[in-house]
Amino acid sequence: MPDPSLTDLASRVLGASVVAANDEFFAQRENLITAAPPRFDPDEFGLKGKVYDGWETRRRREPGFDWALVRLGAAGVVDHVVVDTAWFKGNYPPEVSVEAASVEGYPSADELAKATWHEIVPRSACAGHTENVYDVADDRRFTHVRLLIHPDGGVARLRVLGRVLPDPRFLDGTVDLLATENGGYVTGCSDEFYSSPANMIAPGKARHMGEGWENARRRDGGNDWVEFALAAAGVPRHVEVDTTWFVGNAPGWVTVSVRDDRAADAAWRPLLEREPVQPDTRHRFLLPDAGAATHLRLDVFPDGGLSRLRLPGELDATSAEQLRRTWLAALPEEHRERL
């Protein structure tokens, strides 16, 4: 199964978009990248037939295939693709394939049709009412993917799981070193009973409690925690601990620690000593003389949820150069030649 720490590069939460599809007669293409699980109401019918929470094309009567083109919310290296056919039991595609491209800027659907596309999932069998998981061996960085269904049918969700590899040209100056869209990700967590800690580093503000991290009520005298890898090594300037929407279930106190895996002694060191936090409040704490770090650990006492965690700072010179080299090396040849 896919690594739970991977990021869904095609999620609308990150700003992904379904740019085009050749057919969406029964159900809209935009449903493919909805973050929530697909829903199903057996009694819901519309003017065109059964209503599905997914993308569904009409029955094809000529040779060929149907396709949908997705601009990733964050460009990156793909590890797995999940084609979820939940609730599509007699109308799913028997086979699928996936292609990917890397382009500059924000091309239109017509411009993307002329891009160089690389097959990252060869034509493979696909089961109905199933999360079909396909490994990807390609280690290049892509900005768009194209799902091909053979010959037609319905897909509930498309998940493109991988690691964000940000464009270093946009990480100059003060940036959020933790943000998913910049390359930060969760490496460990004590508890995610109600919702994922990855929500804390998603773009924008949480619209409700479900878009934050919430753990179960702790009864053993310990505390809950989350650990993150930063987008790149950098020097934090302040930390933001946001408990917005957490009114009766915010932590009582928090601590923040960091470590630098490049140092001889890569032990955790305190960045923010134990601080009381208030419910439904955005807290900001200055971090003078923080020093460089590659990872961050948040401890909440004894438990409780947060909506967002931010770490504004600057990449250090060494990591900025390393990121630039990694980014260039991961670009497909046709993209690198255009720069």
Side-chain angles (χ1 to χ4, degrees), residues 5 50 52 88 175-176:
S5 71
K50 185 71 192 75
Y52 280 91
F88 289 95
V175 297
D176 185 353

PDB file of all heavy atoms in Angstrom, residues 5 50 52 88 175-176:
ATOM      1  N   SER A   5       2.676   8.809   4.450  1.00  0.00           N
ATOM      2  CA  SER A   5       3.290  10.137   4.556  1.00  0.00           C
ATOM      3  C   SER A   5       3.376  10.845   3.208  1.00  0.00           C
ATOM      4  O   SER A   5       3.742  12.019   3.144  1.00  0.00           O
ATOM      5  CB  SER A   5       4.698  10.024   5.158  1.00  0.00           C
ATOM      6  OG  SER A   5       5.607   9.441   4.246  1.00  0.00           O
ATOM      7  N   LYS A  50     -28.285   7.635 -13.344  1.00  0.00           N
ATOM      8  CA  LYS A  50     -27.797   7.528 -11.970  1.00  0.00           C
ATOM      9  C   LYS A  50     -26.737   8.587 -11.708  1.00  0.00           C
ATOM     10  O   LYS A  50     -25.849   8.803 -12.518  1.00  0.00           O
ATOM     11  CB  LYS A  50     -27.176   6.136 -11.737  1.00  0.00           C
ATOM     12  CG  LYS A  50     -26.747   5.907 -10.302  1.00  0.00           C
ATOM     13  CD  LYS A  50     -27.935   5.752  -9.388  1.00  0.00           C
ATOM     14  CE  LYS A  50     -27.515   5.814  -7.933  1.00  0.00           C
ATOM     15  NZ  LYS A  50     -27.198   7.174  -7.498  1.00  0.00           N
ATOM     16  N   TYR A  52     -23.480   9.850  -9.900  1.00  0.00           N
ATOM     17  CA  TYR A  52     -22.272   9.308  -9.267  1.00  0.00           C
ATOM     18  C   TYR A  52     -21.356  10.439  -8.824  1.00  0.00           C
ATOM     19  O   TYR A  52     -21.249  11.468  -9.491  1.00  0.00           O
ATOM     20  CB  TYR A  52     -21.506   8.409 -10.243  1.00  0.00           C
ATOM     21  CG  TYR A  52     -22.072   7.014 -10.373  1.00  0.00           C
ATOM     22  CD1 TYR A  52     -23.023   6.726 -11.348  1.00  0.00           C
ATOM     23  CD2 TYR A  52     -21.656   5.995  -9.530  1.00  0.00           C
ATOM     24  CE1 TYR A  52     -23.548   5.452 -11.478  1.00  0.00           C
ATOM     25  CE2 TYR A  52     -22.176   4.714  -9.655  1.00  0.00           C
ATOM     26  CZ  TYR A  52     -23.123   4.447 -10.622  1.00  0.00           C
ATOM     27  OH  TYR A  52     -23.641   3.182 -10.751  1.00  0.00           O
ATOM     28  N   PHE A  88     -18.538   2.349  -8.586  1.00  0.00           N
ATOM     29  CA  PHE A  88     -18.653   1.982 -10.005  1.00  0.00           C
ATOM     30  C   PHE A  88     -18.452   0.465 -10.089  1.00  0.00           C
ATOM     31  O   PHE A  88     -17.321  -0.030 -10.082  1.00  0.00           O
ATOM     32  CB  PHE A  88     -17.615   2.724 -10.849  1.00  0.00           C
ATOM     33  CG  PHE A  88     -17.900   4.200 -10.993  1.00  0.00           C
ATOM     34  CD1 PHE A  88     -17.313   5.122 -10.141  1.00  0.00           C
ATOM     35  CD2 PHE A  88     -18.758   4.657 -11.976  1.00  0.00           C
ATOM     36  CE1 PHE A  88     -17.574   6.472 -10.263  1.00  0.00           C
ATOM     37  CE2 PHE A  88     -19.033   6.008 -12.110  1.00  0.00           C
ATOM     38  CZ  PHE A  88     -18.438   6.926 -11.251  1.00  0.00           C
ATOM     39  N   VAL A 175       9.802  32.151   3.564  1.00  0.00           N
ATOM     40  CA  VAL A 175       8.765  31.230   3.099  1.00  0.00           C
ATOM     41  C   VAL A 175       8.364  30.343   4.276  1.00  0.00           C
ATOM     42  O   VAL A 175       9.048  30.298   5.303  1.00  0.00           O
ATOM     43  CB  VAL A 175       9.262  30.351   1.931  1.00  0.00           C
ATOM     44  CG1 VAL A 175       9.620  31.204   0.721  1.00  0.00           C
ATOM     45  CG2 VAL A 175      10.456  29.505   2.351  1.00  0.00           C
ATOM     46  N   ASP A 176       7.252  29.629   4.128  1.00  0.00           N
ATOM     47  CA  ASP A 176       6.835  28.676   5.156  1.00  0.00           C
ATOM     48  C   ASP A 176       7.622  27.387   4.958  1.00  0.00           C
ATOM     49  O   ASP A 176       7.373  26.629   4.024  1.00  0.00           O
ATOM     50  CB  ASP A 176       5.327  28.420   5.054  1.00  0.00           C
ATOM     51  CG  ASP A 176       4.813  27.533   6.186  1.00  0.00           C
ATOM     52  OD1 ASP A 176       5.637  27.013   6.965  1.00  0.00           O
ATOM     53  OD2 ASP A 176       3.587  27.367   6.281  1.00  0.00           O
TER      54      ASP A 176
END
